[in-house]
Amino acid sequence: MSHTFSFILCVSIAGIGFTQTSGQTVKESTTITVRPAFGFNLGVDYSLVSNMTPSGEPLLCSPVINNGPGFRLGVFGDLKIQERFSLSQKVELSFNSTTLEHNNQTKELDPVNLNFMLHGKYNLGKKVSKVNPYFYFGPALRIPLENNSAGSIETKISWYGDVALGLDIDFGAFYMSPEFRFSQGLTNMRKDESAGKLRSSYAAFVLNFTGK
């Protein structure tokens, strides 16, 4: 009888120990650790350029802005600081079809740009989830690459504020993350401010692919 009781006691202790260990495995860590991850993205967007007077008021008459679709692709590096929070640094090349009409002339508006972004990303679910929603926000810098030809409006470097909602989907070897992003122009993008100001925003659907 004593041998049977001793066996049951040992099994119980081992079971408790296994349960505690398992609980520690799935418990979210709040320790600050920097873990890098890299990836690439591609997406489509739609320009939302607004026309303004030199004093910054909305201008509804000429020149006429024809907003249009665009395409973007880039690379990024994520620095995971905690289980749910990371910093994402992105570099994207964007191609746009927006034009401006004035005095019977049609000119391109920022047809090619290089974008630098720094986003703070927060996951709403636990890391073990196969589908994990997230949101991020942060600043972006837009540098025009093709704006000095006779057929385009001369623009300058401008600042943006980004916000996005997306899903991290775990495919085993990598994450695929579809997201909707809105970027609000914060500064004037037109070099010659005497002709009026232009503030560019855009909405985009982007697919991100991140390695593990």
Side-chain angles (χ1 to χ4, degrees):
M1 182 70 179
S2 60
H3 291 294
T4 303
F5 178 76
S6 299
F7 175 76
I8 294 174
L9 181 62
C10 290
V11 170
S12 301
I13 293 173
I16 293 172
F18 176 77
T19 302
Q20 290 177 343
T21 303
S22 301
Q24 291 173 356
T25 302
V26 299
K27 185 178 179 181
E28 275 191 72
S29 173
T30 57
T31 306
I32 296 178
T33 55
V34 178
R35 288 175 291 172
F38 302 95
F40 69 94
N41 61 18
L42 51 91
V44 292
D45 58 48
Y46 193 86
S47 295
L48 301 168
V49 180
S50 57
N51 199 16
M52 312 180 77
T53 65
S55 60
E57 298 175 355
L59 184 62
L60 302 179
C61 57
S62 181
V64 177
I65 296 174
N66 300 311
N67 286 303
F71 174 76
R72 60 182 51 241
L73 70 164
V75 294
F76 60 86
D78 287 350
L79 291 177
K80 185 169 285 295
I81 298 174
Q82 289 184 337
E83 284 300 309
R84 298 198 185 196
F85 181 74
S86 59
L87 286 176
S88 182
Q89 304 168 74
K90 299 181 176 74
V91 180
E92 292 181 2
L93 189 64
S94 61
F95 305 88
N96 310 293
S97 61
T98 302
T99 59
L100 184 145
E101 295 181 17
H102 187 56
N103 293 333
N104 295 322
Q105 291 184 335
T106 300
K107 294 190 175 184
E108 295 179 327
L109 189 58
D110 269 4
V112 185
N113 301 279
L114 190 62
N115 304 270
F116 295 91
M117 312 167 193
L118 179 61
H119 297 145
K121 177 183 175 183
Y122 185 80
N123 283 94
L124 300 177
K126 294 183 178 181
K127 182 67 176 175
V128 293
S129 304
K130 287 293 184 181
V131 179
N132 197 342
Y134 67 85
F135 70 90
Y136 67 68
F137 60 91
L141 183 68
R142 183 171 178 169
I143 302 175
L145 298 182
E146 191 177 317
N147 67 344
N148 56 1
S149 65
S152 62
I153 300 294
E154 194 171 7
T155 55
K156 61 182 180 180
I157 295 174
S158 52
W159 286 95
Y160 294 75
D162 294 346
V163 62
L165 293 172
L167 293 172
D168 283 336
I169 305 174
D170 191 347
F171 280 90
F174 65 94
Y175 292 100
M176 184 181 75
S177 306
E179 69 181 33
F180 289 98
R181 181 197 303 168
F182 178 74
S183 183
Q184 174 65 51
L186 302 177
T187 59
N188 173 41
M189 61 186 287
R190 193 167 192 168
K191 205 162 190 178
D192 181 12
E193 296 192 8
S194 64
K197 295 182 178 181
L198 295 172
R199 187 165 294 176
S200 175
S201 302
Y202 69 86
F205 174 73
V206 182
L207 280 177
N208 303 283
F209 298 90
T210 312
K212 288 189 174 182

